[in-house]
Amino acid sequence: MEKIIIQGQKRLSGEIEVHGSKNSALPILAATALVNGVSEIHNCPRLSDVDAAINILTHLGCKVTREGHTVTVDSTGMNGCEIPDDLMREMRSSVVFLGAILGRAGEAKLSTPGGCEIGLRPIDLHISAMEQLGAQLTEDAGKLMFQVPQGLCGARITLTFPSVGATENIIIAAATAKGRTVLTNAAREPEISDLADFLNACGARIHGAGDSTVVIDGVEALHGTGHTVIPDRIAASTYLLAGAMTQGKICVKDIIPAHLGALLPVMKEAGCDLTVSGRWICMSAPPRLRRVKMTRTMPYPGFPTDVQAPLSAMLTIADGTSVIVENIFESRYKHAGELVRFGAKISVEGRTEVIEGVPYLTGVHTVAPDLRGGFALILAGLAAHGETTVCGVEHIDRGYEAPECVLQALGADIKRIQEDGTGEKKSTKEFAAEPTQNSSAAVEPARSTAQTDESDTADRAK
Ligand code: UD1
């Protein structure tokens, strides 16, 4: 196990690029299982969630190689239809393989994703959509077995909530279903459009991805292609907030600024000076941040739930009282208790978090509760006086590639060491140069894989 140690109060400055989007790479890798050919996925981040997706593809009989940030998937010989329990548990988004496996193999066997830490993890929208596309479900001892004896058939599907994962599953499954699928109240996240761009380049006929109505005309089969994953808007947002918390001046390059559309007004309200141009955003922070009156997380293009925890961290040292309302997930405030240990003044009631800004934080020993909440603690450590130790780094490695390297490049005093203190650890950026190939054993994990879910501690907002 590893931990991150930070000597806080270093002003961040400089330019960085962010890695490819985790939330795009995962469904695109899942979709490669539907392709009868070779897919080359570029700008694929080195993350433990990506390792988990590669392990599932390998288990299904696909040949996977990785060189740097390119993952090549040859799905020609795919012959599996089951995701074993241990692989399901590695990553909640493994459910997004359902549509691809069903479309390709005509049957799929998986267990319910997620684990004990996260409570009830509904996948009812995914299941109902597959049934509407013609799948028959039988359940046996926690195993879900789907069969489509007649093959998937297009349908009119309306989601009761614009679930990102369910939208992705439907688009993938419908891509080679017979006839037309019309999906309404679809999620509109940029990662949905990226998935559709990949599938369309493989020969699919998907229209309207990124809007709330998506029309998919099923095609006979998909062929291989090359595709470059979009930049990670959540990582970009997180690093901008890191700059803001340290009175920093940083530029994040090679991103799609429109994807951060909901964050920028919030940062401006906090007093940050932002310049947006082409594919970069530059941010200069004020000596003291101002409070942000009210932020509500919403489906895209609203404020992303994945940036809620990092924003909470920033607001702990803003002047005045800020309020955040979490509308996507319930119980996504596990980081709040840890931030209080830094000296933050936070109260949480139901879905509402009230943050009374304090003049400064003090470094502590802390444990990452989940992916984004874990990074919120790194942010607090960067701003805090003295030393901060963050354990549970495996959560953070699911979604941020070598964060210590990125932050070091901006001037942070941060290092990763073994939890037993036996020395500094080689970074994932160094691993990235090493090619791996063709078996789950050959795919060296970027870091150890934890129980994975974007919101490990979150249940659906009721
Ligand atoms: C995706 C993102 C995650 C982000 C989330 C919301 C990936 C890998 N993950 O997760 O980073 O936080 O979108 O923007 O892209 N729900 C149901 N039934 C279902 C499916 C979902 O009740 O069948 C609930 C979930 O429990 C959650 C809400 O709907 O409370 C939103 O979930 P969803 O949009 O599906 O999120 P994910 O696709 O899991």
Side-chain angles (χ1 to χ4, degrees):
M1 300 297 265
E2 296 161 13
K3 60 186 176 185
I4 279 179
I5 298 185
I6 306 162
Q7 308 297 332
Q9 288 268 294
K10 301 280 184 290
R11 186 171 177 268
L12 299 190
S13 70
E15 291 182 357
I16 52 164
E17 287 172 16
V18 291
H19 52 74
S21 163
K22 169 181 89 78
N23 292 350
S24 267
L26 297 178
I28 288 171
L29 286 172
T32 63
L34 191 62
V35 173
N36 193 6
V38 179
S39 309
E40 268 194 12
I41 312 302
H42 308 291
N43 202 28
C44 206
R46 300 277 309 200
L47 302 169
S48 53
D49 267 14
V50 169
D51 294 334
I54 290 173
N55 287 343
I56 292 173
L57 285 167
T58 306
H59 180 85
L60 293 171
C62 304
K63 291 187 179 135
V64 187
T65 57
R66 176 160 65 186
E67 197 161 350
H69 289 90
T70 296
V71 174
T72 305
V73 185
D74 181 351
S75 307
T76 321
M78 178 187 148
N79 53 11
C81 67
E82 178 169 6
I83 306 179
D85 206 39
D86 55 330
L87 292 180
M88 272 316 277
R89 282 180 181 280
E90 276 184 21
M91 178 178 66
R92 173 173 158 81
S93 356
S94 47
V95 72
V96 86
F97 277 84
L98 174 59
I101 299 174
L102 261 183
R104 186 76 192 279
E107 57 179 330
K109 290 183 198 161
L110 44 142
S111 50
T112 45
C116 52
E117 271 182 75
I118 52 176
L120 187 64
R121 306 305 321 227
I123 56 164
D124 53 310
L125 299 173
H126 300 251
I127 292 173
S128 154
M130 293 307 125
E131 287 178 332
Q132 290 175 70
L133 291 170
Q136 292 165 6
L137 168 67
T138 45
E139 278 187 76
D140 183 26
K143 281 262 177 225
L144 305 175
M145 283 169 284
F146 297 85
Q147 288 192 310
V148 269
Q150 313 302 328
L152 292 167
C153 283
R156 297 188 79 86
I157 301 174
T158 301
L159 289 173
T160 50
F161 179 87
S163 155
V164 176
T167 299
E168 290 163 348
N169 241 332
I170 294 164
I171 288 176
I172 295 169
T176 56
K178 286 186 209 106
R180 173 171 282 197
T181 297
V182 180
L183 170 61
T184 45
N185 200 25
R188 294 184 286 158
E189 270 69 0
E191 294 78 17
I192 307 279
S193 306
D194 203 22
L195 170 67
D197 287 347
F198 165 70
L199 286 167
N200 283 339
C202 295
R205 291 172 59 204
I206 301 161
H207 310 278
D211 289 334
S212 56
T213 300
V214 185
V215 178
I216 306 120
D217 287 308
V219 296
E220 210 42 44
L222 299 178
H223 54 77
T225 192
H227 180 80
T228 301
V229 171
I230 58 171
D232 195 309
R233 64 191 167 100
I234 308 300
S237 303
T238 307
Y239 290 118
L240 285 171
L241 292 169
M245 272 193 93
T246 57
Q247 301 174 11
K249 191 170 181 176
I250 70 169
C251 289
V252 184
K253 296 189 305 182
D254 216 9
I255 54 171
I256 302 169
H259 292 174
L260 284 76
L263 174 70
L264 302 187
V266 171
M267 294 194 73
K268 279 187 187 153
E269 190 180 339
C272 299
D273 187 38
L274 292 154
T275 313
V276 180
S277 176
R279 285 179 66 89
W280 51 262
I281 298 176
C282 287
M283 188 278 323
S284 180
R288 176 93 200 260
L289 292 160
R290 295 194 298 261
R291 65 124 184 221
V292 174
K293 206 170 168 188
M294 169 69 79
T295 309
R296 295 181 177 85
T297 67
M298 304 286 275
Y300 190 84
F303 192 90
T305 175
D306 290 347
V307 186
Q308 179 259 106
L311 177 67
S312 300
M314 185 190 86
L315 295 174
T316 60
I317 51 165
D319 188 14
T321 300
S322 308
V323 177
I324 298 181
V325 179
E326 172 57 60
N327 286 311
I328 308 296
F329 292 101
E330 227 175 45
S331 330
R332 203 175 189 177
Y333 288 126
K334 279 220 166 165
H335 51 278
E338 294 296 308
L339 289 173
V340 166
R341 301 181 59 242
F342 284 85
K345 284 193 184 165
I346 304 179
S347 60
V348 173
E349 201 172 317
R351 285 189 267 150
T352 304
E353 182 185 38
V354 178
I355 304 164
E356 211 182 306
V358 294
Y360 63 91
L361 301 175
T362 306
V364 293
H365 180 96
T366 181
V367 181
D370 55 45
L371 166 53
R372 308 300 172 189
F375 212 109
L377 304 180
I378 291 184
L379 295 187
L382 292 170
H385 290 264
E387 181 171 292
T388 292
T389 306
V390 183
C391 296
V393 178
E394 65 276 10
H395 289 295
I396 296 165
D397 289 331
R398 291 183 30 236
Y400 297 90
E401 183 176 316
E404 71 279 15
C405 297
V406 178
L407 292 167
Q408 277 162 10
L410 291 172
D413 185 342
I414 179 170
K415 62 184 176 189
R416 178 190 293 258
I417 63 166
Q418 294 290 349
E419 274 201 17
D420 63 6
T422 55
E424 220 164 312
K425 182 82 180 145
K426 211 174 160 192
S427 75
T428 44
K429 281 210 181 297
E430 288 165 292
F431 288 151
E434 298 164 10
T436 57
Q437 44 178 288
N438 204 21
S439 78
S440 56
V443 178
E444 184 182 358
R447 301 286 176 209
S448 58
T449 305
Q451 154 60 57
T452 59
D453 178 18
E454 184 59 59
S455 53
D456 297 20
T457 56
D459 297 328
R460 180 177 178 170
K462 300 285 182 296

